[in-house]
Amino acid sequence: RGQEREADAIGMNILFQAGYKPEAMVTFMEKMYAAEQAQGGGRPPAILSTHPATTNRIANLSAQTAQYPLDLRQKSPVYAERYQQEVL
C-alpha cells in the first residue's frame, strides 16, 4: 500500500507539472469511490488489500494539493477537450 500512496503522490506531481489542476486527481478518486459504492462498497480486510482504501487515498491527495501554490492551481486549465480527443 505504501507504493500505491507513493504512486498517487508522484502522479499528482506529474499532472501539476503538465499543467493540470491537482484537484482533478481528487475528483477522479471521488468518482472511483462512488463507483465502488454503487457496486456494493465491499472491501477485503486491510491486511489483505493491495491498495489503500479509496477514502484514504482521497484524504491523502486532498492534503497534498496544499503543497501547490493556490495561484498556479487556479490558473491551470482543465484540458477536458484535449483529454477527450487524445485519450477517449
Side-chain angles (χ1 to χ4, degrees):
R1 288 176 293 248
Q3 291 173 333
E4 291 298 327
R5 281 188 287 275
E6 182 181 7
D8 286 347
I10 291 169
M12 184 176 273
N13 283 332
I14 291 169
L15 287 173
F16 182 72
Q17 291 172 2
Y20 289 88
K21 293 178 184 276
E23 293 87 352
M25 193 160 173
V26 176
T27 301
F28 169 79
M29 287 294 174
E30 290 169 341
K31 290 179 181 181
M32 193 163 82
Y33 178 72
E36 288 174 2
Q37 295 306 301
Q39 294 178 356
R43 284 192 49 85
I47 195 152
L48 300 176
S49 182
T50 59
H51 288 69
T54 306
T55 52
N56 291 344
R57 294 174 84 180
I58 292 168
N60 291 338
L61 291 168
S62 294
Q64 184 179 342
T65 59
Q67 78 179 26
Y68 304 104
L70 182 61
D71 62 326
L72 294 178
R73 291 189 342 237
Q74 290 174 336
K75 291 178 186 176
S76 296
V78 176
Y79 293 124
E81 186 177 312
R82 183 175 87 183
Y83 172 81
Q84 289 176 347
Q85 289 174 350
E86 294 183 16
V87 178
L88 299 180

